[in-house]
Amino acid sequence: MSLIGNLLWIVLGGGIIVFALYLVGGIALCCTIVGIPFGLQLIKLALFGLAPFGKEVNTEGSARGILQIVMNILWLVLGGLELAVVHLVLALVLALTVVGLPFAKQHLKLLRLSLVPFGARID
């Protein structure tokens, strides 16, 4: 079932657009030394955004150390909050129809990951 959901996500739910934008942003950030940690998190988001069905985001205990807490705060200030708002708006728009409800749920998963990516696990 997750294979069918992921294929429909790529075609109808905006998965290919989410993947492409996150991947381009991640590669651009990886071109700088300072941006490498943030670029790697965007690439993690891109891979999750390509096929989110059948996977869960685990953010419990995501901030194990002071470095992860600082990186998550920097992430929120430098663009993570905007990513979360975009995923929230897309989830609300997709939730207007019954067919879009599974896709809205996936955007809410991406929202959780876009808020605290450092230390979060994808199971």
Side-chain angles (χ1 to χ4, degrees), residues 38 63 65-77 118:
F38 300 104
I66 189 72
L67 184 61
Q68 287 181 347
I69 293 171
V70 170
M71 294 300 274
N72 278 328
I73 291 170
L74 283 173
W75 174 270
L76 278 175
V77 172
F118 290 95

Side-chain angles (χ1 to χ4, degrees), residues 45 72-73 75-76 80-81 83-85 110-118:
L45 274 162
N72 278 328
I73 291 170
W75 174 270
L76 278 175
L81 197 57
L83 291 175
V85 169
L110 283 163
L111 181 140
R112 286 183 59 204
L113 189 60
S114 69
L115 283 175
V116 285
F118 290 95

Side-chain angles (χ1 to χ4, degrees), residues 79-97:
L81 197 57
E82 288 84 359
L83 291 175
V85 169
V86 167
H87 284 297
L88 180 63
V89 168
L90 289 172
L92 291 174
V93 169
L94 286 168
L96 292 175
T97 64

